[in-house]
Amino acid sequence: QVQLVESGGGLVQPGGSLRLSCAASGSITSIYAMGWHRQAPGKQRELVAAITSSGSTNYADSVKGRFTISRDNAKKTVYLQMDSLKPEDTAVYYCNVDLREERRKIPTSVWGQGTQVTVSS
């Protein structure tokens, strides 16, 4: 029943910006961490950015200084602000949330459907 809905992807020119959003819905008791991964064609999926329940963040070296992850606890939504985009940022971006569902004792990890980001002139 828990679902993640991603939005905000698209086509931008190098140096442009995009903001991705990921909203969690369903019977959620707690959210422990939220993050973004990406996967380019022919490459492994990699962590882009993550934020914990305490507000701690971490980023891949390739996006430090350009991307910013944030959250809205009331809306159960995580954002990824992407600035100074480069062609190598082109990938499918996946939202990931570690959470606990109502009436369940064990946390689970939920993935979004993915949103395409293309950086090209």
Side-chain angles (χ1 to χ4, degrees):
Q1 187 174 344
V2 174
Q3 186 178 8
L4 305 181
V5 179
E6 301 180 26
S7 62
L11 173 65
V12 296
Q13 294 185 346
S17 298
L18 284 174
R19 190 179 76 157
L20 306 183
S21 299
C22 174
S25 63
S27 301
I28 301 170
T29 299
S30 303
I31 294 178
Y32 305 109
M34 310 180 87
W36 294 91
H37 295 71
R38 68 185 181 187
Q39 187 168 24
K43 294 188 176 182
Q44 300 278 6
R45 185 174 299 187
E46 64 173 346
L47 174 69
V48 177
I51 184 168
T52 69
S53 59
S54 65
S56 298
T57 60
N58 69 294
Y59 299 89
D61 289 340
S62 60
V63 307
K64 286 182 178 178
R66 300 188 298 119
F67 291 10
T68 303
I69 189 170
S70 62
R71 66 184 182 186
D72 186 325
N73 292 335
K75 296 181 179 180
K76 298 180 181 178
T77 300
V78 62
Y79 305 93
L80 185 67
Q81 178 66 43
M82 304 183 293
D83 299 320
S84 302
L85 283 163
K86 304 175 180 179
E88 50 262 46
D89 295 318
T90 296
V92 177
Y93 285 69
Y94 296 91
C95 177
N96 175 239
V97 180
D98 294 329
L99 55 84
R100 182 189 172 195
E101 298 180 79
E102 290 185 3
R103 302 178 62 82
R104 304 295 290 271
K105 296 182 178 180
I106 302 175
T108 188
S109 184
V110 183
W111 291 84
Q113 80 281 4
T115 185
Q116 177 70 47
V117 172
T118 302
V119 184
S120 177
S121 59

